């Protein structure tokens, strides 16, 4: 791998990718597979080859996978595909000169550029927020730093009852930690899932011994003489924790794009081809705000599936294609032996229908979302994986195909979801 390139006007420009995360790694692969014979330069600030983040909060913290096993592809694949991986931070993009400048001053010219800069974990702005023992979980390095804290009997306190916080809570319980989750909202998982699913997930965590506090947030952390942390909450109560994990969402890494004059709203704005407002510059993954195939409205997705599929579309279009990104959104989360999934865009629903699966402690729920024309625009559900996995997959297929089942069919567990595929246009 050649890490000493500088701009040479006589050298044909490369395909350049900023951000060697999931999108970056996959896009580099697709560029080669799609027939680009020239240079591919993948520049990332993290000192490792691209890896998948979902196992970090699950298998890695549970000790079932090593961080190295999360690699997106083997190192040999990058060599074989002649992908130059440079560990560096890109400081500027010059869209007129069609080049990027690295922190060490190197300048690299691009034929086409992909911004795949993802996002950074949001920080708390309260006293003690940077004390040792107050952690976040976005990168492999974060997981490596956090994992040794998950000792049996240790008290782990999570700030934020979103997906990352709840997955860490489940992993920590499996290692015998005492776990507290502090969530500012009156329910878990915010608006990502319907209230009844939030309530089911709350009951699940409480049944697993997690102390979940809703409607409160931290106001300060203080290091004690014994090295533990005193956590003051806004409701006036205090907790003592060995480790605090802050999981309050991410901020999309848009600074480069903004400084380069690209259109940026809640993310880097792209069109259906994932092209930004600057010629030859594309954006994809967590950082990109793209038009929904359902509504045309700009949306941003922070999901594995979005990273995986947008990387391909971006690569095709960087090579001169005109492919529109029309993939149906999909997301999953694993907690204990439960799975939760959301597909499509539930926010577009005019009405919703619930289907109950199984009974008692084996009960799961599916929610279907129909638009005003009776088309299925979303589905979400959760429950024991063995009960819901197959049904969630079928629900996702129904959404992808734009099926138009009746509310009565959707609500009745006696009607097989597979049979409803025939209602697709
Ligand atoms: C702990 C965890 C668990 C998750 N679990 C799930 C799950 O169960 N299901 C699911 O669907 N999704 C999950 N996700 C989300 C999923 O992993 C992300 O959506 C995905 O990683 C996004 O990929 P990306 O390439 O857009 O961004 P990232 O993977 O964040 O990669 C961006 C990269 O760009 C680099 N970078 C940024 N700026 C610069 C710069 N100026 N110069 C050089 N490099 C730069 C960053 O260092 C980073 O390496 C999880 C995420 C985390 C953190």
């Amino acid at each position: 791998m050649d890490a000493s390139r500088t701009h040479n006007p006589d050298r044909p420009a490369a395909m350049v990718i900023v951000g060697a995360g999931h999108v970056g790694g996959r896009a580099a692969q697709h560029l080669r597979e799609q027939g680009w014979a020239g240079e591919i330069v993948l520049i990332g600030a993290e000192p490792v080859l691209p890896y998948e983040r979902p196992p970090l909060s699950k298998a890695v913290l549970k000790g079932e996978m090593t961080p190295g096993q999360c690699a997106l592809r083997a190192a040999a694949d990058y060599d074989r595909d002649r992908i130059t991986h440079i560990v560096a931070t890109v400081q500027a993009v010059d869209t007129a000169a069609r080049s990027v400048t690295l922190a060490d001053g190197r300048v690299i010219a691009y034929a086409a550029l992909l911004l795949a800069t993802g996002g950074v974990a949001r920080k708390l702005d309260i006293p003690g927020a940077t004390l040792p023992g107050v952690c976040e979980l976005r990168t492999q390095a974060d997981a490596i730093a956090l994992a040794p804290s998950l000792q049996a009997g240790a008290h782990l306190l999570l700030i934020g009852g979103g997906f990352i916080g709840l997955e860490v809570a489940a992993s920590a319980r499996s290692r015998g930690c005492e776990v507290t989750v502090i969530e500012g909202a009156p329910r878990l998982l915010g608006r990502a899932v319907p209230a009844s699913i939030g309530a089911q997930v709350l009951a699940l965590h409480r049944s697993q011994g997690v102390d979940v506090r809703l409607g409160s947030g931290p106001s300060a952390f203080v290091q004690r003489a014994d090295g533990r942390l005193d956590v003051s909450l806004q409701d006036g109560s205090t907790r003592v924790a060995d480790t605090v994990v802050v999981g309050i969402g991410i901020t999309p890494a848009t600074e480069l794009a903004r400084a380069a004059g690209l259109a940026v709203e809640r993310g880097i704005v792209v069109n259906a081809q994932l092209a930004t407002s600057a010629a030859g510059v594309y954006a994809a993954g967590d950082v990109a705000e793209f038009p929904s195939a359902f509504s045309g409205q700009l949306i941003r997705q922070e999901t594995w599936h979005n990273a995986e599929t947008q990387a391909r579309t971006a690569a095709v279009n960087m090579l001169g294609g005109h492919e529109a990104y029309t993939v149906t959104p999909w997301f999953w989360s694993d907690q204990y032996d439960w799975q939760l999934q959301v597909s499509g865009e539930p926010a577009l629903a005019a009405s919703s229908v619930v289907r109950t699966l199984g009974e008692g402690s084996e009960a799961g729920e599916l929610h279907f979302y129909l638009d005003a024309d009776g088309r299925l625009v979303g589905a979400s559900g959760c429950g024991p994986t063995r009960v819901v996995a197959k049904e969630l997959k079928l629900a996702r297929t129904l959404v992808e195909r734009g099926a138009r089942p009746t509310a009565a069919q959707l609500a009745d567990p006696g009607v097989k979801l597979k049979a409803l595929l025939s209602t697709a246009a």
Side-chain angles (χ1 to χ4, degrees):
M1 294 182 199
D2 170 12
S4 60
R5 304 178 71 258
T6 49
H7 179 50
N8 175 349
D10 300 328
R11 196 169 179 165
M15 289 290 156
V16 175
I17 301 168
V18 181
H22 191 138
V23 169
R26 204 56 99 199
Q29 176 182 353
H30 285 300
L31 284 166
R32 194 59 85 210
E33 286 174 3
Q34 297 288 326
W36 174 253
E39 279 194 89
I40 299 172
V41 182
L42 176 60
I43 311 162
E46 291 183 70
V48 284
L49 284 167
Y51 59 90
E52 299 187 50
R53 296 182 198 273
L56 298 182
S57 48
K58 310 173 186 77
V60 170
L61 287 189
K62 285 194 272 185
E64 297 166 356
M65 247 175 119
T66 63
Q69 289 172 323
C70 302
L72 193 64
R73 306 176 74 203
D77 296 334
Y78 295 85
D79 290 336
R80 192 199 56 228
D81 285 351
R82 290 177 295 111
I83 294 165
T84 303
H85 176 227
I86 299 179
V87 177
T89 299
V90 172
Q91 275 195 333
V93 175
D94 185 334
T95 57
R98 288 196 169 223
S99 65
V100 299
T101 303
L102 312 192
D104 62 11
R106 278 179 286 175
V107 176
I108 298 176
Y110 61 78
L113 175 69
L114 175 61
L115 297 175
T117 47
V120 291
R122 282 181 55 214
K123 321 270 181 229
L124 283 171
D125 186 16
I126 57 172
T130 57
L131 282 171
V134 180
C135 312
E136 59 191 36
L137 181 55
R138 176 70 189 174
T139 64
Q140 187 168 296
D142 294 336
I144 291 169
L146 177 61
S149 311
L150 271 60
Q151 303 288 339
H155 183 200
L156 191 75
L157 187 138
L158 295 143
I159 308 292
F163 289 107
I164 303 279
L166 295 176
E167 288 181 358
V168 175
S171 300
R173 284 300 291 148
S174 82
R175 305 217 77 162
C177 298
E178 297 300 315
V179 179
T180 302
V181 173
I182 308 292
E183 165 57 48
R187 47 171 288 201
L188 294 178
L189 295 173
R191 284 170 296 162
V193 297
S196 66
I197 290 187
Q200 270 193 304
V201 173
L202 174 64
L204 171 68
H205 280 271
R206 285 187 170 153
S207 75
Q208 296 288 335
V210 178
D211 179 11
V212 184
R213 297 292 152 125
L214 300 173
S216 188
S219 51
F221 305 113
V222 176
Q223 193 103 50
R224 295 156 45 111
D226 62 4
R228 304 179 85 200
L229 292 159
D230 275 329
V231 183
S232 303
L233 300 183
Q234 287 155 358
D235 61 13
S237 64
T238 56
R239 297 282 184 288
V240 180
D242 294 288
T243 305
V244 171
V245 181
V246 179
I248 54 171
I250 65 162
T251 306
T254 55
E255 308 80 15
L256 264 185
R258 202 183 288 277
L262 273 55
V264 173
E265 297 285 342
R266 289 166 302 172
I268 303 174
V269 177
V270 293
N271 64 15
Q273 283 84 41
L274 306 182
T276 70
S277 55
V281 183
Y282 296 78
D286 284 12
V287 79
E289 208 182 0
F290 62 97
S292 148
F294 282 90
S295 67
Q297 285 167 11
L298 288 178
I299 58 169
R300 206 169 56 73
Q301 294 275 305
E302 296 170 8
T303 71
W304 178 96
H305 182 61
N306 183 63
E308 181 75 15
T309 52
Q310 286 198 338
R312 191 193 156 279
T313 303
V316 166
N317 294 337
M318 286 168 80
L319 298 175
H322 298 284
E323 198 173 290
Y325 182 76
T326 57
V327 174
T328 301
W330 175 69
F331 172 86
W332 89 95
S333 172
D334 294 315
Q335 295 165 36
Y336 311 103
D337 59 348
W338 275 41
Q339 183 153 104
L340 188 154
Q341 291 190 21
V342 181
S343 54
E345 285 186 63
L348 300 175
S351 62
S352 66
V353 183
V354 186
R355 170 182 287 221
T356 305
L357 304 169
E359 286 177 354
S361 63
E362 290 293 286
E365 252 182 33
L366 286 184
H367 291 243
F368 294 97
Y369 308 92
L370 297 154
D371 68 10
D373 297 331
R375 183 178 68 137
L376 208 48
V377 288
S380 61
C382 76
T385 304
R386 60 193 168 277
V387 176
V388 298
K390 205 172 131 219
E391 302 301 308
L392 284 167
K393 193 160 185 252
L394 283 165
R396 177 183 171 194
T397 307
L398 287 170
V399 175
E400 284 170 347
R401 303 228 183 134
R404 293 170 182 277
T406 65
Q409 288 171 321
L410 289 170
D412 181 357
V415 177
K416 288 204 178 327
L417 291 182
K418 205 169 178 184
L420 300 182
L421 287 171
S422 61
T423 65

